[in-house]
Amino acid sequence: ASRDRYVELLVGLQLADRQGALTQEQLNAFCMGVQQFADEFEAVVTFPQRSGKLNAARDLDEFCASVDVLIGLNIMPSQRPFPMEKVRVLAENSGLVRGQDGQFHYRSDSGRTLFTLSNHDETPFGTTSDGLTLLFDVPRVAGGLSVFDYLSDFAQNLSASLGGELADDNGK
């Protein structure tokens, strides 16, 4: 066992991650854990500027969201509009679920959206679609590479099944 003695120990907490900003509950749990640790060693704990941490976390999360990398893949019809009933069946068979926002969401086991499928022109789905867009919010998705691989496979299969053409936001 080490006989080192410490006069001070600094403990840090990440304010934001891909799941969003630090919450009041997370901050409370962290502070309780640090306090319990300190109690075991009869140490004194200070939480400098604790009240400002949640605002800082929100500011940091907003900044991160403003510099997010959003990847879009478009599936455009080569001749006639896509029948939405076929799109719905293909999307649901690939694990996407229609959300209250009208878009199809591919979600993680915890219910977090990993990517979405929507109308290219951002209008609500009708009986047909003049183009589809898959959106992938890179920094917000844990395990991003495997999710992007799935999105790419899904986009290629959807495009082939509908007789459409894959394109980026510049039409290439």
Side-chain angles (χ1 to χ4, degrees), residues 89-164:
V89 169
L90 292 166
E92 289 176 354
N93 287 345
S94 295
L96 282 79
V97 175
R98 188 97 176 247
Q100 289 182 345
D101 59 3
Q103 299 179 61
F104 288 91
H105 294 256
Y106 184 73
R107 293 193 164 106
S108 67
D109 292 339
S110 64
R112 192 151 188 81
T113 296
L114 301 176
F115 65 83
T116 59
L117 172 68
S118 60
N119 252 335
H120 180 65
D121 61 8
E122 299 179 15
T123 61
F125 284 122
T127 55
T128 61
S129 174
D130 290 325
L132 302 167
T133 297
L134 288 155
L135 283 179
F136 175 63
D137 191 355
V138 177
R140 294 224 175 243
V141 177
L145 196 52
S146 63
V147 174
F148 182 74
D149 287 344
Y150 186 80
L151 175 140
S152 298
D153 291 344
F154 171 67
Q156 290 171 5
N157 293 336
L158 187 61
S159 179
S161 298
L162 295 171

Side-chain angles (χ1 to χ4, degrees), residues 41-77:
F41 295 96
E42 298 177 1
V44 175
V45 177
T46 60
F47 297 102
Q49 304 162 357
R50 179 178 172 177
S51 60
K53 296 304 181 221
L54 293 176
N55 288 336
R58 281 190 291 276
D59 291 346
L60 180 60
D61 187 54
E62 286 174 15
F63 168 74
C64 291
S66 74
V67 295
D68 269 354
V69 176
L70 198 62
I71 296 176
L73 287 176
N74 301 301
I75 303 169
M76 306 307 291

